Amino acid sequence: MRYFNVLAVVLRTNNESPWTDEFDKIELSCLIESISTLNPRIEWKKIKNEGPSYVYFDKKVSGDLENRAVIREPATLVITNATRSDTAKYRCEVTAPDDQKSFDEIVIDLTVRVKPVMPKCSVPKSVPVGKSAELSCLEEEGFPKSQYQWFKNKEEIPDDPKSSSKFLNSSYTLNADSGTLNFIAVRKEDAGEYHCRAKNDAGYAECPAQTMEVYDIDIVGIILGVLVVVVVLLCITVGICCAYKKGYFSGQKQAGNNYKVPSKGDGVDYVRTDDEGDFRHKSSFVI
């Protein structure tokens, strides 16, 4: 670094797009190639969607890097324990009042890679032959975003079934971005143990294997079952019709209620007693 007989501050970096794995150390190099000012002002800013924020200002590390970063002379920022939140653009700014060109800056785009966690997998337990089936796989912690692979009986399923003799007769589509494996028409040979792997540049993680069974549809049994139900319903219907014809469902009148109140004669009143159907008369004499 030269401090005399120059008229401009000039910066450079060894890597404009560095990356590191989570919890590792990373250096964001800001090298001063030329400067005349003896004590230039050095600042670092972190730039995200919500705007810039100070990382190094007034010779102090600040913000969320306060206890995780240091400045290595003259201006390199060293992050000792990177986390996923450190993924951002970082701007090194150097101000040199004694130089004719008194200001320069460089921007570094840092990526912190995060290993995927165990994905959530969904495999149907049983599927009839000829029907469709969907297997899903998802994890949302990894960075960059995970890509997905499916395995059957510990053997990787190719993106194109025609590319492998073992899967040549299978009819499926595999989406490595979304993690879905769709069978258009399941065959008996598709039965087996399936598991998924989520991977990115930082590593991979897998879900436990799950078994998918494939069974034949018993057409004869279904037809016989339907016929049995129809016969039973017909028998019930015929029995009800016969019962109606024989009068089993006609109204039955009790003998004790089948009476008529006699008409009143002159001078005689009929009174019904508490015993149903029993009448007595009382005489009245007209003088």
Side-chain angles (χ1 to χ4, degrees):
M1 181 170 56
R2 301 185 303 273
Y3 289 92
F4 303 102
N5 300 322
V6 294
L7 299 177
V9 55
V10 178
L11 305 180
R12 70 175 178 87
T13 182
N14 291 332
N15 192 347
E16 293 183 353
S17 301
W19 58 264
T20 186
D21 292 330
E22 191 175 27
F23 309 125
D24 284 353
K25 177 181 177 181
I26 183 68
E27 294 185 0
L28 306 184
S29 61
C30 182
L31 306 177
I32 303 176
E33 286 197 321
S34 64
I35 196 170
S36 295
T37 303
L38 293 178
N39 295 304
R41 187 179 70 194
I42 299 171
E43 296 177 357
W44 275 92
K45 294 177 182 177
K46 181 179 182 180
I47 305 170
K48 301 195 82 170
N49 293 335
E50 56 270 21
S53 59
Y54 278 106
V55 171
Y56 181 76
F57 177 74
D58 196 20
K59 298 183 180 182
K60 295 179 182 178
V61 178
S62 59
D64 57 356
L65 290 178
E66 184 174 359
N67 298 315
R68 297 188 294 114
V70 295
I71 290 294
R72 192 179 68 192
E73 294 293 339
T76 294
L77 179 68
V78 181
I79 301 175
T80 57
N81 183 19
T83 67
R84 68 184 63 202
S85 64
D86 296 333
T87 295
K89 293 183 184 296
Y90 292 82
R91 188 168 66 213
C92 175
E93 301 177 356
V94 176
T95 303
D98 297 337
D99 288 68
Q100 185 174 348
K101 180 195 173 195
S102 61
F103 178 83
D104 198 12
E105 65 179 30
I106 55 172
V107 177
I108 299 174
D109 193 357
L110 172 64
T111 299
V112 179
R113 305 185 310 185
V114 181
K115 181 181 177 181
V117 298
M118 185 177 71
K120 296 179 181 179
C121 301
S122 176
V123 178
K125 292 184 178 180
S126 60
V127 183
V129 171
K131 296 295 183 180
S132 62
E134 180 178 284
L135 286 67
S136 63
C137 180
L138 180 65
E139 84 83 32
E140 297 179 310
E141 296 297 320
F143 187 86
K145 184 180 178 182
S146 293
Q147 295 286 298
Y148 300 95
Q149 296 171 294
W150 275 99
F151 296 80
K152 176 191 173 187
N153 299 331
K154 299 182 180 180
E155 183 172 352
E156 184 178 355
I157 300 175
D159 293 340
D160 184 1
K162 296 180 181 180
S163 64
S164 172
S165 59
K166 292 186 178 181
F167 298 93
L168 185 61
N169 295 322
S170 295
S171 58
Y172 65 81
T173 57
L174 195 158
N175 191 321
D177 294 325
S178 65
T180 56
L181 173 62
N182 285 295
F183 286 94
I184 301 170
V186 173
R187 302 177 306 122
K188 290 285 289 184
E189 294 80 359
D190 294 325
E193 289 191 343
Y194 290 83
H195 78 274
C196 169
R197 173 184 293 172
K199 65 175 184 177
N200 63 13
D201 294 337
Y204 69 88
E206 297 178 346
C207 65
Q210 301 178 45
T211 300
M212 183 177 77
E213 297 180 353
V214 179
Y215 61 91
D216 291 313
I217 300 177
D218 188 1
I219 302 297
V220 176
I222 294 175
I223 294 175
L224 289 177
V226 172
L227 289 176
V228 169
V229 172
V230 171
V231 170
V232 171
L233 291 176
L234 285 175
C235 291
I236 294 174
T237 303
V238 171
I240 293 174
C241 291
C242 291
Y244 267 112
K245 288 182 179 180
K246 293 183 179 181
Y248 288 112
F249 294 99
S250 61
Q252 301 293 326
K253 296 181 179 180
Q254 297 181 359
N257 290 333
N258 193 15
Y259 63 81
K260 293 182 180 180
V261 179
S263 60
K264 292 183 180 181
D266 291 339
V268 181
D269 292 331
Y270 290 91
V271 179
R272 185 174 182 177
T273 64
D274 292 336
D275 296 330
E276 187 176 352
D278 182 21
F279 289 84
R280 68 179 180 175
H281 73 272
K282 67 179 181 176
S283 297
S284 61
F285 298 91
V286 178
I287 301 175

